PDB file of all heavy atoms in Angstrom:
ATOM      1  N   ARG A  18     -15.047 -25.998  -6.253  1.00 71.00           N
ATOM      2  CA  ARG A  18     -14.119 -26.485  -7.308  1.00 71.00           C
ATOM      3  C   ARG A  18     -12.621 -26.127  -6.878  1.00 71.00           C
ATOM      4  O   ARG A  18     -12.458 -25.105  -6.224  1.00 71.00           O
ATOM      5  CB  ARG A  18     -14.361 -25.635  -8.636  1.00 71.00           C
ATOM      6  CG  ARG A  18     -15.657 -25.973  -9.294  1.00 71.00           C
ATOM      7  CD  ARG A  18     -16.008 -25.020 -10.398  1.00 71.00           C
ATOM      8  NE  ARG A  18     -16.207 -23.678  -9.989  1.00 71.00           N
ATOM      9  CZ  ARG A  18     -16.467 -22.645 -10.790  1.00 71.00           C
ATOM     10  NH1 ARG A  18     -16.652 -22.889 -12.140  1.00 71.00           N
ATOM     11  NH2 ARG A  18     -16.628 -21.408 -10.355  1.00 71.00           N
ATOM     12  N   PRO A  19     -11.819 -27.111  -7.125  1.00 78.00           N
ATOM     13  CA  PRO A  19     -10.407 -26.895  -6.648  1.00 78.00           C
ATOM     14  C   PRO A  19      -9.684 -25.847  -7.495  1.00 78.00           C
ATOM     15  O   PRO A  19      -9.984 -25.648  -8.607  1.00 78.00           O
ATOM     16  CB  PRO A  19      -9.753 -28.299  -6.920  1.00 78.00           C
ATOM     17  CG  PRO A  19     -10.627 -28.841  -7.988  1.00 78.00           C
ATOM     18  CD  PRO A  19     -12.004 -28.360  -7.865  1.00 78.00           C
ATOM     19  N   VAL A  21      -7.085 -24.248 -10.046  1.00 95.00           N
ATOM     20  CA  VAL A  21      -6.068 -24.693 -11.007  1.00 95.00           C
ATOM     21  C   VAL A  21      -4.782 -23.838 -10.627  1.00 95.00           C
ATOM     22  O   VAL A  21      -3.628 -24.436 -10.646  1.00 95.00           O
ATOM     23  CB  VAL A  21      -6.530 -24.356 -12.422  1.00 95.00           C
ATOM     24  CG1 VAL A  21      -5.408 -24.577 -13.346  1.00 95.00           C
ATOM     25  CG2 VAL A  21      -7.755 -25.160 -12.694  1.00 95.00           C
ATOM     26  N   VAL A  49      -7.544 -19.265  -8.918  1.00 97.00           N
ATOM     27  CA  VAL A  49      -8.447 -19.400 -10.046  1.00 97.00           C
ATOM     28  C   VAL A  49      -8.857 -20.738 -10.210  1.00 97.00           C
ATOM     29  O   VAL A  49      -7.881 -21.662 -10.230  1.00 97.00           O
ATOM     30  CB  VAL A  49      -7.726 -18.988 -11.351  1.00 97.00           C
ATOM     31  CG1 VAL A  49      -8.832 -18.830 -12.477  1.00 97.00           C
ATOM     32  CG2 VAL A  49      -6.973 -17.678 -11.220  1.00 97.00           C
ATOM     33  N   ALA A  50     -10.113 -21.013 -10.040  1.00 94.00           N
ATOM     34  CA  ALA A  50     -10.623 -22.457  -9.965  1.00 94.00           C
ATOM     35  C   ALA A  50     -10.840 -22.978 -11.200  1.00 94.00           C
ATOM     36  O   ALA A  50     -10.939 -22.336 -12.214  1.00 94.00           O
ATOM     37  CB  ALA A  50     -11.908 -22.390  -9.195  1.00 94.00           C
ATOM     38  N   ALA A  51     -11.021 -24.349 -11.308  1.00 92.00           N
ATOM     39  CA  ALA A  51     -11.377 -24.991 -12.583  1.00 92.00           C
ATOM     40  C   ALA A  51     -12.720 -24.514 -13.005  1.00 92.00           C
ATOM     41  O   ALA A  51     -13.667 -24.450 -12.119  1.00 92.00           O
ATOM     42  CB  ALA A  51     -11.350 -26.524 -12.239  1.00 92.00           C
ATOM     43  N   GLY A  52     -12.845 -24.231 -14.267  1.00 92.00           N
ATOM     44  CA  GLY A  52     -14.184 -23.802 -14.794  1.00 92.00           C
ATOM     45  C   GLY A  52     -14.442 -22.225 -14.414  1.00 92.00           C
ATOM     46  O   GLY A  52     -15.556 -21.770 -14.676  1.00 92.00           O
ATOM     47  N   GLU A  53     -13.335 -21.498 -14.011  1.00 94.00           N
ATOM     48  CA  GLU A  53     -13.608 -20.050 -13.673  1.00 94.00           C
ATOM     49  C   GLU A  53     -12.742 -19.157 -14.439  1.00 94.00           C
ATOM     50  O   GLU A  53     -11.601 -19.443 -14.867  1.00 94.00           O
ATOM     51  CB  GLU A  53     -13.128 -19.977 -12.227  1.00 94.00           C
ATOM     52  CG  GLU A  53     -13.437 -18.524 -11.652  1.00 94.00           C
ATOM     53  CD  GLU A  53     -12.946 -18.284 -10.280  1.00 94.00           C
ATOM     54  OE1 GLU A  53     -11.832 -18.858  -9.859  1.00 94.00           O
ATOM     55  OE2 GLU A  53     -13.613 -17.538  -9.487  1.00 94.00           O
ATOM     56  N   CYS A  54     -13.381 -17.934 -14.732  1.00 96.00           N
ATOM     57  CA  CYS A  54     -12.484 -16.861 -15.335  1.00 96.00           C
ATOM     58  C   CYS A  54     -12.401 -15.813 -14.295  1.00 96.00           C
ATOM     59  O   CYS A  54     -13.399 -15.274 -13.699  1.00 96.00           O
ATOM     60  CB  CYS A  54     -13.331 -16.281 -16.531  1.00 96.00           C
ATOM     61  SG  CYS A  54     -12.385 -14.704 -17.052  1.00 96.00           S
ATOM     62  N   ARG A 108       1.933 -25.937 -22.593  1.00 93.00           N
ATOM     63  CA  ARG A 108       1.341 -27.138 -22.238  1.00 93.00           C
ATOM     64  C   ARG A 108       0.430 -27.061 -20.997  1.00 93.00           C
ATOM     65  O   ARG A 108      -0.696 -27.551 -20.979  1.00 93.00           O
ATOM     66  CB  ARG A 108       2.409 -28.214 -22.048  1.00 93.00           C
ATOM     67  CG  ARG A 108       3.061 -28.636 -23.322  1.00 93.00           C
ATOM     68  CD  ARG A 108       4.285 -29.488 -23.168  1.00 93.00           C
ATOM     69  NE  ARG A 108       4.785 -30.033 -24.413  1.00 93.00           N
ATOM     70  CZ  ARG A 108       5.619 -29.418 -25.175  1.00 93.00           C
ATOM     71  NH1 ARG A 108       5.929 -28.111 -24.971  1.00 93.00           N
ATOM     72  NH2 ARG A 108       5.996 -29.895 -26.364  1.00 93.00           N
ATOM     73  N   LEU A 109       1.042 -26.480 -19.953  1.00 95.00           N
ATOM     74  CA  LEU A 109       0.090 -26.252 -18.703  1.00 95.00           C
ATOM     75  C   LEU A 109      -0.539 -24.899 -18.671  1.00 95.00           C
ATOM     76  O   LEU A 109      -1.428 -24.671 -18.008  1.00 95.00           O
ATOM     77  CB  LEU A 109       1.120 -26.477 -17.461  1.00 95.00           C
ATOM     78  CG  LEU A 109       1.517 -27.882 -17.236  1.00 95.00           C
ATOM     79  CD1 LEU A 109       2.432 -28.069 -16.003  1.00 95.00           C
ATOM     80  CD2 LEU A 109       0.395 -28.883 -17.151  1.00 95.00           C
ATOM     81  N   ARG A 157     -11.159 -21.066 -34.828  1.00 90.00           N
ATOM     82  CA  ARG A 157     -11.552 -20.975 -33.510  1.00 90.00           C
ATOM     83  C   ARG A 157     -11.337 -19.559 -32.997  1.00 90.00           C
ATOM     84  O   ARG A 157     -12.151 -19.127 -32.026  1.00 90.00           O
ATOM     85  CB  ARG A 157     -10.801 -22.010 -32.643  1.00 90.00           C
ATOM     86  CG  ARG A 157     -11.190 -22.128 -31.276  1.00 90.00           C
ATOM     87  CD  ARG A 157     -10.454 -23.303 -30.603  1.00 90.00           C
ATOM     88  NE  ARG A 157     -10.707 -23.348 -29.179  1.00 90.00           N
ATOM     89  CZ  ARG A 157     -10.198 -24.140 -28.269  1.00 90.00           C
ATOM     90  NH1 ARG A 157      -9.167 -24.989 -28.765  1.00 90.00           N
ATOM     91  NH2 ARG A 157     -10.439 -24.211 -27.065  1.00 90.00           N
ATOM     92  N   LEU A 186      -4.767 -21.305 -27.789  1.00 91.00           N
ATOM     93  CA  LEU A 186      -5.786 -22.221 -27.594  1.00 91.00           C
ATOM     94  C   LEU A 186      -5.547 -23.728 -27.980  1.00 91.00           C
ATOM     95  O   LEU A 186      -6.175 -24.592 -27.661  1.00 91.00           O
ATOM     96  CB  LEU A 186      -7.156 -21.819 -28.225  1.00 91.00           C
ATOM     97  CG  LEU A 186      -7.730 -20.395 -27.655  1.00 91.00           C
ATOM     98  CD1 LEU A 186      -9.031 -20.009 -28.555  1.00 91.00           C
ATOM     99  CD2 LEU A 186      -8.161 -20.676 -26.230  1.00 91.00           C
ATOM    100  N   GLY A 188      -3.302 -26.021 -27.385  1.00 87.00           N
ATOM    101  CA  GLY A 188      -2.981 -27.025 -26.470  1.00 87.00           C
ATOM    102  C   GLY A 188      -4.043 -27.387 -25.485  1.00 87.00           C
ATOM    103  O   GLY A 188      -3.962 -28.391 -24.667  1.00 87.00           O
ATOM    104  N   ASP A 189      -5.165 -26.536 -25.367  1.00 89.00           N
ATOM    105  CA  ASP A 189      -6.035 -26.734 -24.350  1.00 89.00           C
ATOM    106  C   ASP A 189      -5.525 -26.948 -23.026  1.00 89.00           C
ATOM    107  O   ASP A 189      -5.818 -27.738 -22.231  1.00 89.00           O
ATOM    108  CB  ASP A 189      -7.118 -27.860 -24.651  1.00 89.00           C
ATOM    109  CG  ASP A 189      -7.962 -27.615 -25.840  1.00 89.00           C
ATOM    110  OD1 ASP A 189      -8.466 -26.507 -25.957  1.00 89.00           O
ATOM    111  OD2 ASP A 189      -8.425 -28.617 -26.528  1.00 89.00           O
ATOM    112  N   ALA A 190      -4.613 -25.931 -22.639  1.00 93.00           N
ATOM    113  CA  ALA A 190      -3.836 -25.969 -21.405  1.00 93.00           C
ATOM    114  C   ALA A 190      -4.816 -25.781 -20.265  1.00 93.00           C
ATOM    115  O   ALA A 190      -5.889 -25.098 -20.324  1.00 93.00           O
ATOM    116  CB  ALA A 190      -2.828 -24.846 -21.417  1.00 93.00           C
ATOM    117  N   PRO A 191      -4.472 -26.449 -19.104  1.00 94.00           N
ATOM    118  CA  PRO A 191      -5.388 -26.226 -17.891  1.00 94.00           C
ATOM    119  C   PRO A 191      -5.598 -24.795 -17.493  1.00 94.00           C
ATOM    120  O   PRO A 191      -6.603 -24.414 -16.934  1.00 94.00           O
ATOM    121  CB  PRO A 191      -4.526 -27.021 -16.832  1.00 94.00           C
ATOM    122  CG  PRO A 191      -3.776 -27.898 -17.530  1.00 94.00           C
ATOM    123  CD  PRO A 191      -3.284 -27.242 -18.837  1.00 94.00           C
ATOM    124  N   LEU A 192      -4.373 -23.833 -17.705  1.00 96.00           N
ATOM    125  CA  LEU A 192      -4.603 -22.515 -17.409  1.00 96.00           C
ATOM    126  C   LEU A 192      -4.270 -21.649 -18.597  1.00 96.00           C
ATOM    127  O   LEU A 192      -3.331 -21.925 -19.280  1.00 96.00           O
ATOM    128  CB  LEU A 192      -3.608 -22.081 -16.161  1.00 96.00           C
ATOM    129  CG  LEU A 192      -3.519 -20.657 -15.934  1.00 96.00           C
ATOM    130  CD1 LEU A 192      -4.842 -20.076 -15.313  1.00 96.00           C
ATOM    131  CD2 LEU A 192      -2.451 -20.339 -14.881  1.00 96.00           C
ATOM    132  N   LEU A 193      -5.288 -20.671 -18.931  1.00 96.00           N
ATOM    133  CA  LEU A 193      -4.966 -19.815 -20.062  1.00 96.00           C
ATOM    134  C   LEU A 193      -4.790 -18.408 -19.394  1.00 96.00           C
ATOM    135  O   LEU A 193      -5.612 -18.052 -18.525  1.00 96.00           O
ATOM    136  CB  LEU A 193      -6.194 -19.762 -21.025  1.00 96.00           C
ATOM    137  CG  LEU A 193      -6.054 -18.941 -22.203  1.00 96.00           C
ATOM    138  CD1 LEU A 193      -4.901 -19.296 -23.054  1.00 96.00           C
ATOM    139  CD2 LEU A 193      -7.391 -18.876 -23.029  1.00 96.00           C
ATOM    140  N   GLU A 213     -15.198 -17.263 -27.127  1.00 88.00           N
ATOM    141  CA  GLU A 213     -14.400 -18.498 -27.346  1.00 88.00           C
ATOM    142  C   GLU A 213     -13.541 -18.768 -26.112  1.00 88.00           C
ATOM    143  O   GLU A 213     -13.228 -19.946 -25.779  1.00 88.00           O
ATOM    144  CB  GLU A 213     -13.467 -18.269 -28.569  1.00 88.00           C
ATOM    145  CG  GLU A 213     -12.643 -19.481 -29.000  1.00 88.00           C
ATOM    146  CD  GLU A 213     -13.531 -20.628 -29.188  1.00 88.00           C
ATOM    147  OE1 GLU A 213     -14.533 -20.580 -30.020  1.00 88.00           O
ATOM    148  OE2 GLU A 213     -13.185 -21.789 -28.542  1.00 88.00           O
ATOM    149  N   LEU A 214     -12.972 -17.750 -25.428  1.00 91.00           N
ATOM    150  CA  LEU A 214     -12.277 -17.935 -24.191  1.00 91.00           C
ATOM    151  C   LEU A 214     -13.184 -18.520 -23.169  1.00 91.00           C
ATOM    152  O   LEU A 214     -12.672 -19.505 -22.398  1.00 91.00           O
ATOM    153  CB  LEU A 214     -11.764 -16.583 -23.731  1.00 91.00           C
ATOM    154  CG  LEU A 214     -10.609 -16.024 -24.628  1.00 91.00           C
ATOM    155  CD1 LEU A 214     -10.095 -14.654 -24.023  1.00 91.00           C
ATOM    156  CD2 LEU A 214      -9.453 -17.002 -24.890  1.00 91.00           C
ATOM    157  N   ARG A 215     -14.391 -18.130 -23.123  1.00 91.00           N
ATOM    158  CA  ARG A 215     -15.337 -18.671 -22.164  1.00 91.00           C
ATOM    159  C   ARG A 215     -15.613 -20.228 -22.488  1.00 91.00           C
ATOM    160  O   ARG A 215     -15.540 -21.006 -21.517  1.00 91.00           O
ATOM    161  CB  ARG A 215     -16.649 -17.930 -22.213  1.00 91.00           C
ATOM    162  CG  ARG A 215     -17.745 -18.399 -21.151  1.00 91.00           C
ATOM    163  CD  ARG A 215     -17.305 -17.937 -19.829  1.00 91.00           C
ATOM    164  NE  ARG A 215     -17.172 -18.942 -18.876  1.00 91.00           N
ATOM    165  CZ  ARG A 215     -16.856 -18.754 -17.551  1.00 91.00           C
ATOM    166  NH1 ARG A 215     -16.870 -17.525 -17.082  1.00 91.00           N
ATOM    167  NH2 ARG A 215     -16.721 -19.759 -16.756  1.00 91.00           N
ATOM    168  N   ARG A 216     -15.654 -20.480 -23.747  1.00 87.00           N
ATOM    169  CA  ARG A 216     -15.881 -21.938 -24.107  1.00 87.00           C
ATOM    170  C   ARG A 216     -14.585 -22.714 -23.666  1.00 87.00           C
ATOM    171  O   ARG A 216     -14.701 -23.935 -23.280  1.00 87.00           O
ATOM    172  CB  ARG A 216     -16.102 -22.081 -25.604  1.00 87.00           C
ATOM    173  CG  ARG A 216     -17.520 -21.733 -25.925  1.00 87.00           C
ATOM    174  CD  ARG A 216     -17.875 -22.088 -27.408  1.00 87.00           C
ATOM    175  NE  ARG A 216     -17.257 -21.290 -28.291  1.00 87.00           N
ATOM    176  CZ  ARG A 216     -17.780 -20.091 -28.797  1.00 87.00           C
ATOM    177  NH1 ARG A 216     -18.972 -19.743 -28.301  1.00 87.00           N
ATOM    178  NH2 ARG A 216     -17.225 -19.214 -29.638  1.00 87.00           N
ATOM    179  N   HIS A 217     -13.428 -22.170 -23.767  1.00 85.00           N
ATOM    180  CA  HIS A 217     -12.115 -22.808 -23.240  1.00 85.00           C
ATOM    181  C   HIS A 217     -12.373 -23.203 -21.851  1.00 85.00           C
ATOM    182  O   HIS A 217     -11.924 -24.202 -21.401  1.00 85.00           O
ATOM    183  CB  HIS A 217     -11.012 -21.923 -23.581  1.00 85.00           C
ATOM    184  CG  HIS A 217      -9.771 -22.399 -22.947  1.00 85.00           C
ATOM    185  ND1 HIS A 217      -8.829 -23.335 -23.543  1.00 85.00           N
ATOM    186  CD2 HIS A 217      -9.136 -22.241 -21.658  1.00 85.00           C
ATOM    187  CE1 HIS A 217      -7.853 -23.564 -22.855  1.00 85.00           C
ATOM    188  NE2 HIS A 217      -8.069 -23.027 -21.722  1.00 85.00           N
ATOM    189  N   VAL A 218     -13.016 -22.341 -21.005  1.00 88.00           N
ATOM    190  CA  VAL A 218     -13.084 -22.582 -19.504  1.00 88.00           C
ATOM    191  C   VAL A 218     -14.259 -23.667 -19.394  1.00 88.00           C
ATOM    192  O   VAL A 218     -14.016 -24.535 -18.533  1.00 88.00           O
ATOM    193  CB  VAL A 218     -13.463 -21.252 -18.916  1.00 88.00           C
ATOM    194  CG1 VAL A 218     -13.799 -21.472 -17.501  1.00 88.00           C
ATOM    195  CG2 VAL A 218     -12.336 -20.302 -19.016  1.00 88.00           C
ATOM    196  N   ASP A 219     -15.282 -23.524 -20.127  1.00 86.00           N
ATOM    197  CA  ASP A 219     -16.483 -24.418 -19.842  1.00 86.00           C
ATOM    198  C   ASP A 219     -16.343 -25.710 -20.605  1.00 86.00           C
ATOM    199  O   ASP A 219     -16.975 -25.885 -21.620  1.00 86.00           O
ATOM    200  CB  ASP A 219     -17.766 -23.604 -20.208  1.00 86.00           C
ATOM    201  CG  ASP A 219     -17.994 -22.382 -19.491  1.00 86.00           C
ATOM    202  OD1 ASP A 219     -17.551 -22.380 -18.223  1.00 86.00           O
ATOM    203  OD2 ASP A 219     -18.530 -21.399 -19.895  1.00 86.00           O
ATOM    204  N   THR A 220     -15.461 -26.633 -20.166  1.00 72.00           N
ATOM    205  CA  THR A 220     -15.294 -27.956 -20.866  1.00 72.00           C
ATOM    206  C   THR A 220     -16.495 -28.787 -20.641  1.00 72.00           C
ATOM    207  O   THR A 220     -17.216 -28.771 -19.585  1.00 72.00           O
ATOM    208  CB  THR A 220     -14.073 -28.597 -20.343  1.00 72.00           C
ATOM    209  OG1 THR A 220     -14.155 -28.705 -18.867  1.00 72.00           O
ATOM    210  CG2 THR A 220     -12.826 -27.829 -20.644  1.00 72.00           C
ATOM    211  N   ALA A 221     -16.752 -29.570 -21.671  1.00 53.00           N
ATOM    212  CA  ALA A 221     -17.929 -30.388 -21.627  1.00 53.00           C
ATOM    213  C   ALA A 221     -17.946 -31.462 -20.609  1.00 53.00           C
ATOM    214  O   ALA A 221     -18.826 -32.065 -20.182  1.00 53.00           O
ATOM    215  CB  ALA A 221     -18.210 -31.025 -23.072  1.00 53.00           C
ATOM    216  N   ASP A 222     -16.557 -32.004 -20.299  1.00 57.00           N
ATOM    217  CA  ASP A 222     -16.509 -33.134 -19.394  1.00 57.00           C
ATOM    218  C   ASP A 222     -16.607 -32.707 -17.917  1.00 57.00           C
ATOM    219  O   ASP A 222     -16.508 -33.500 -16.952  1.00 57.00           O
ATOM    220  CB  ASP A 222     -15.141 -33.803 -19.534  1.00 57.00           C
ATOM    221  CG  ASP A 222     -13.969 -32.932 -19.380  1.00 57.00           C
ATOM    222  OD1 ASP A 222     -14.101 -31.803 -18.831  1.00 57.00           O
ATOM    223  OD2 ASP A 222     -12.810 -33.378 -19.744  1.00 57.00           O
ATOM    224  N   GLY A 223     -16.775 -31.419 -17.665  1.00 57.00           N
ATOM    225  CA  GLY A 223     -17.062 -30.828 -16.250  1.00 57.00           C
ATOM    226  C   GLY A 223     -15.685 -30.687 -15.582  1.00 57.00           C
ATOM    227  O   GLY A 223     -15.727 -30.075 -14.391  1.00 57.00           O
ATOM    228  N   THR A 224     -14.497 -31.026 -16.053  1.00 63.00           N
ATOM    229  CA  THR A 224     -13.373 -30.927 -15.200  1.00 63.00           C
ATOM    230  C   THR A 224     -12.901 -29.467 -15.238  1.00 63.00           C
ATOM    231  O   THR A 224     -12.439 -28.942 -14.127  1.00 63.00           O
ATOM    232  CB  THR A 224     -12.155 -31.726 -15.924  1.00 63.00           C
ATOM    233  OG1 THR A 224     -12.060 -31.348 -17.228  1.00 63.00           O
ATOM    234  CG2 THR A 224     -12.564 -33.178 -15.778  1.00 63.00           C
ATOM    235  N   GLY A 225     -13.069 -28.699 -16.239  1.00 73.00           N
ATOM    236  CA  GLY A 225     -12.953 -27.265 -16.280  1.00 73.00           C
ATOM    237  C   GLY A 225     -11.462 -26.862 -16.412  1.00 73.00           C
ATOM    238  O   GLY A 225     -10.580 -27.570 -16.076  1.00 73.00           O
ATOM    239  N   ARG A 226     -11.265 -25.821 -17.165  1.00 90.00           N
ATOM    240  CA  ARG A 226      -9.979 -25.198 -17.267  1.00 90.00           C
ATOM    241  C   ARG A 226     -10.147 -23.774 -16.652  1.00 90.00           C
ATOM    242  O   ARG A 226     -11.217 -23.279 -16.547  1.00 90.00           O
ATOM    243  CB  ARG A 226      -9.493 -25.097 -18.692  1.00 90.00           C
ATOM    244  CG  ARG A 226      -9.152 -26.434 -19.269  1.00 90.00           C
ATOM    245  CD  ARG A 226      -8.559 -26.525 -20.678  1.00 90.00           C
ATOM    246  NE  ARG A 226      -9.579 -26.128 -21.588  1.00 90.00           N
ATOM    247  CZ  ARG A 226     -10.192 -27.090 -22.377  1.00 90.00           C
ATOM    248  NH1 ARG A 226      -9.966 -28.335 -22.156  1.00 90.00           N
ATOM    249  NH2 ARG A 226     -11.129 -26.884 -23.142  1.00 90.00           N
ATOM    250  N   ALA A 227      -9.022 -23.138 -16.417  1.00 95.00           N
ATOM    251  CA  ALA A 227      -9.038 -21.796 -15.823  1.00 95.00           C
ATOM    252  C   ALA A 227      -8.610 -20.765 -16.681  1.00 95.00           C
ATOM    253  O   ALA A 227      -7.658 -20.971 -17.530  1.00 95.00           O
ATOM    254  CB  ALA A 227      -8.255 -21.894 -14.425  1.00 95.00           C
ATOM    255  N   LEU A 228      -9.082 -19.542 -16.427  1.00 96.00           N
ATOM    256  CA  LEU A 228      -8.765 -18.379 -17.259  1.00 96.00           C
ATOM    257  C   LEU A 228      -8.390 -17.243 -16.441  1.00 96.00           C
ATOM    258  O   LEU A 228      -9.195 -16.865 -15.573  1.00 96.00           O
ATOM    259  CB  LEU A 228      -9.810 -17.982 -18.295  1.00 96.00           C
ATOM    260  CG  LEU A 228      -9.581 -16.617 -19.082  1.00 96.00           C
ATOM    261  CD1 LEU A 228      -8.458 -16.705 -19.922  1.00 96.00           C
ATOM    262  CD2 LEU A 228     -10.868 -16.437 -19.954  1.00 96.00           C
ATOM    263  N   LEU A 229      -7.229 -16.660 -16.443  1.00 98.00           N
ATOM    264  CA  LEU A 229      -6.894 -15.491 -15.858  1.00 98.00           C
ATOM    265  C   LEU A 229      -6.658 -14.387 -16.948  1.00 98.00           C
ATOM    266  O   LEU A 229      -5.831 -14.553 -17.803  1.00 98.00           O
ATOM    267  CB  LEU A 229      -5.506 -15.596 -15.080  1.00 98.00           C
ATOM    268  CG  LEU A 229      -4.856 -14.298 -14.538  1.00 98.00           C
ATOM    269  CD1 LEU A 229      -5.840 -13.674 -13.531  1.00 98.00           C
ATOM    270  CD2 LEU A 229      -3.500 -14.543 -13.819  1.00 98.00           C
ATOM    271  N   ASP A 243     -16.239 -14.515 -13.931  1.00 97.00           N
ATOM    272  CA  ASP A 243     -16.881 -14.985 -12.757  1.00 97.00           C
ATOM    273  C   ASP A 243     -16.563 -14.127 -11.578  1.00 97.00           C
ATOM    274  O   ASP A 243     -17.412 -13.956 -10.604  1.00 97.00           O
ATOM    275  CB  ASP A 243     -16.523 -16.449 -12.393  1.00 97.00           C
ATOM    276  CG  ASP A 243     -16.902 -17.437 -13.466  1.00 97.00           C
ATOM    277  OD1 ASP A 243     -18.011 -17.623 -13.746  1.00 97.00           O
ATOM    278  OD2 ASP A 243     -16.035 -17.911 -14.282  1.00 97.00           O
TER     279      ASP A 243
END
Side-chain angles (χ1 to χ4, degrees):
R18 294 171 295 184
V21 172
V49 191
E53 180 183 39
C54 170
R108 291 172 172 81
L109 294 179
R157 188 176 176 185
L186 293 174
D189 286 328
L192 175 65
L193 183 62
E213 185 57 52
L214 296 181
R215 185 73 241 186
R216 280 189 287 273
H217 172 87
V218 171
D219 297 329
T220 54
D222 60 9
T224 57
R226 291 184 285 265
L228 169 63
L229 175 58
D243 299 291

